[in-house]
Amino acid sequence: MLDMDMLLARAGNFTGSQNHRLMAGWSKPKPKLNIFEGALNVYEAIKELQANGEKILVGTINAHTGLKFNGAQIKSVQDIIKAEKVPQGLITYAEEKALEELFNVDPSLNFSTVHTRNGEEREVECMEILSEKTGIDFINTGENQAHIHVNGVGCTPDGIAIDDIDMIYTGAEVKCKSPLEHAHSLFINNTNDLKEQAFDHFVQCQTGMLVTGSDHWYFANYNPYAKSELLQFKYIVVQRDDAFIAIMQERINLAKEIKAEFLAKVLENVAKPAPSQAEAA
Amino acid sequence: MNQISVRETQVKDCLELEAISQQLSSLLDKNPRKMEAFKTRMLKISLGFGLDKCTPESIINCGLQALTLDLPLEHGQGYIVNYGGKATFDAGYKGWQILAKRAGFSVMADVVYSCDEFSQDGFGFNSEMIFKQNLGLRKGANDVWAKANLTGVIVSVREDESDKTTTAFVPADMINKIVATSPSQKTDNAKKFSPHSNWAEQMFKAKAIKQVLSKFPIDLAVASQLADAIGIIDATEIAAQKQVAKDDRSYPDERFEEVYPKWKAIVQEGKKDAITILSDLAARFALTKSQSNKLRELKNFEPIEGEK
């Protein structure tokens, strides 16, 4: 749980801990329209029929284009159109970010439990262990965490390390979870494992690197109740994934557009006077 | 659930934690009536003005510390102070007198103001203090006046067994370092709550006594509570100093001028954008307008796209 100052600082920003919501289906290759001759004609026909609310049938497509296509060809174009759709998760996330600009933080929705508070306290301990193991002096930990944001994208690392010119050169995300979740985290040995097994944390680390320009990040897990000391703590170094960051940046740009449109829509409707009784009738 | 109910649930949850229950049970000899009374008191304190944003654990911890020292959180013996959202225990003037008495010392503190006649002469065993209160001009009950005119506090410690008396002077600088910078009195609202503001003279005395006793040779076998209290209040003072350091987020101009050419170089080399450097620093420091403007100028040194 973050304190109120931090929530206010983060308001409206696309933040590392939530940016996985932008990324549904991110790894699917972009479909191309040169899959067969005339695919573009089918694409335009489907779009037009959809806009008119008509059913997509082989016959109607052929009639519309004046050409002859089979069901499989039409289906492959339909898949391309489907892939163009913006994921619903991204839309919801963008709209929530828009509302953070219009609404204050409701403190009752930000309550902590004994478990989250224990986790927070352990995160500080975990950062101390990480510093000890890596020899890196991580600062801005615990209640001194910093929220760094550039152009509406932000991250709140659990710790950052500073170089000799006071710039952040790396940061850390630490997790202090239940025994089961902690045990699963022990299977993560490198960047690729993190991407496959804890995608949300992978996105969080990559967002940290996007925002700070760093080329690596630390990801650590800690549970002091493991009976063996060997099981209590583990960390990996996460490498910057430029290809992934480029896709994430595209999605962020798209989400920013949706956020702006939604904000405008809400404000436009506020500005509209309520209809009179006669108009309503 | 409204805010108060949420807060109540948090505090109750915390009071049910096994570690806390066990500690409470041991401190109160498993007396259920006393344990319930403690819980009720903690709940009331947690909802009170000035402490309602502190973590429940920190408030309960203060309650347990007060029990350990056997000092009630009332009648000027013990206080709970908010340092950056964390409640910390602080002992009052009377509290220190009681703790010292239990350890076999009688302690008195006299506050010296700028209107009084005060001088120190000599050193070591031969030092001599001259102190005459100017009762006509003193306004010790006025907290604002008291803070503005504090010269220091004379602390006298007498060993009850031997009647041996020691006197020490704690200057205002030392007391202000601890008390005047207390974040619990930074805002107007907090000032209404803070014991440091409302009972300034009492707190000057308390801080001065602690300062002297912490340097005093104490026999732990007979004065373990006093030693515990010094340890606890040391932690409180460290929390206060940390909070002050956190509040001072300025970036020194000298350092800025020293490092700026290096930032310019990494921007020119395409290693970082101007906006990344600005955001990085702005997240951690309260930059001045001129520093921000100068960082924005780094944009002019970014390489043209494709030349990076």
Side-chain angles (χ1 to χ4, degrees), chain A residues 107-108 111-112 114 117 140 143-144 146-151 160 162 164-168 211-213, chain B residues 1 3 6 10 13-14 17 57 84 246 251 255 259 262-263 266 272 275-277 279-281 283-284:
Chain A
S108 69
F111 60 87
S112 64
V114 167
R117 286 196 298 276
N140 287 90
E143 58 187 34
N144 295 325
H147 179 65
I148 309 135
H149 55 102
V150 182
N151 296 329
I160 49 174
I162 305 299
D164 56 353
I165 55 167
D166 299 341
M167 292 283 100
I168 298 171
V211 172
T212 60
Chain B
M1 230 182 346
Q3 256 176 281
V6 169
Q10 288 174 347
D13 272 359
C14 194
L17 284 174
E57 287 90 342
K246 189 181 167 187
Y251 192 84
R255 175 73 181 156
V259 188
K262 292 175 185 166
W263 293 333
I266 58 171
K272 284 202 180 197
I275 186 76
T276 304
I277 293 180
S279 311
D280 178 338
L281 291 168
R284 293 177 289 128

Side-chain angles (χ1 to χ4, degrees), chain B residues 20-78:
Chain B
I20 289 176
S21 292
Q22 279 177 359
Q23 212 178 339
L24 194 57
S25 169
S26 138
L27 284 165
L28 295 174
D29 299 327
K30 296 182 184 168
N31 182 324
R33 198 176 53 81
K34 284 185 181 172
M35 284 166 72
E36 273 317 300
F38 175 86
K39 288 177 182 177
T40 309
R41 179 133 183 75
M42 286 299 105
L43 198 57
K44 195 179 159 200
I45 289 175
S46 303
L47 297 172
F49 182 77
L51 296 175
D52 51 345
K53 300 284 185 290
C54 290
T55 61
E57 287 90 342
S58 66
I59 293 176
I60 294 164
N61 191 39
C62 289
L64 293 170
Q65 285 172 335
L67 280 181
T68 307
L69 302 177
D70 195 13
L71 281 186
L73 291 168
E74 50 213 359
H75 312 306
Q77 296 191 31

Side-chain angles (χ1 to χ4, degrees), chain B residues 126-198:
Chain B
N126 297 318
S127 67
E128 195 188 6
M129 276 185 215
I130 294 169
F131 172 49
K132 275 186 193 164
Q133 294 185 22
N134 187 339
L135 294 172
L137 292 176
R138 284 169 68 105
K139 294 176 192 164
N142 179 330
D143 294 321
V144 177
W145 183 92
K147 275 191 236 171
N149 292 281
L150 179 71
T151 301
V153 179
I154 302 166
V155 178
S156 308
V157 184
R158 189 180 64 210
E159 283 181 54
D160 291 340
E161 214 169 71
S162 63
D163 244 9
K164 187 184 154 199
T165 303
T166 310
T167 307
F169 178 71
V170 183
D173 285 359
M174 179 62 81
I175 293 166
N176 284 334
K177 192 176 166 188
I178 305 159
V179 180
T181 51
S182 162
S184 71
Q185 56 175 1
K186 277 203 169 159
T187 62
D188 286 345
N189 274 344
K191 276 178 188 169
K192 285 177 205 160
F193 156 78
S194 171
H196 295 178
S197 281
N198 289 347

